[in-house]
Amino acid sequence: MRLDGNDAVAMWAGVGVAVNRARNGGGPTLIDALTYRFHGHILGEDLAYQPADERNAAIAADPVPAYRSRLIGQFGVNAIELADIDCRVAAEVEEAFTLALAGPSRHLALHTDVVAEVAV
């Protein structure tokens, strides 16, 4: 099924249909979730392949603030509660980041299975 990957409610409903189908013996469902990538594949990419007007329209329709507005307006969620959730999640991410940096160093195989060396 094709879904608007930028609409959390549409995704929730569509995935629910797929889960029910699978649980009832209907087999797997391929979900084609259409979305837009705001950033390049690598840090600092110039995104010349994305038309600026298309990218700007996608950013203006960013699903995160859109869903936040929908939670408040349509579902009556308190904006202060959302801000509190944001703070708690940011603290959890920061704690995980700090723990990861303090942990033992892991060797990253950045040069394993490289097809070609390219000078940047």
Side-chain angles (χ1 to χ4, degrees), residues 81-118:
E81 290 178 54
L82 291 178
D84 183 53
I85 292 169
D86 288 343
C87 288
R88 289 194 323 255
V89 169
E92 287 180 32
V93 170
E94 184 61 34
E95 180 182 359
F97 187 72
T98 300
L99 286 172
L101 289 177
S105 177
R106 302 281 188 247
H107 172 72
L108 298 177
L110 297 176
H111 301 288
T112 302
D113 299 321
V114 175
V115 177
E117 293 290 331
V118 178

Side-chain angles (χ1 to χ4, degrees), residues 11-82:
M11 288 296 300
W12 176 80
V15 169
V17 168
V19 167
N20 287 334
R21 177 178 174 212
R23 287 180 178 158
N24 292 320
T29 301
L30 174 66
I31 296 176
D32 184 14
L34 303 176
T35 188
Y36 194 89
R37 185 170 36 82
F38 296 153
H39 304 286
H41 293 286
I42 58 172
L43 186 62
E45 188 174 359
D46 69 2
L47 303 174
Y49 53 86
Q50 289 181 341
D53 57 337
E54 178 183 286
R55 184 174 49 257
N56 291 336
I59 290 170
D62 185 336
V64 175
Y67 188 60
R68 181 181 217 87
S69 294
R70 191 171 182 181
L71 285 172
I72 294 167
Q74 185 175 348
F75 298 107
V77 176
N78 185 309
I80 294 171
E81 290 178 54
L82 291 178

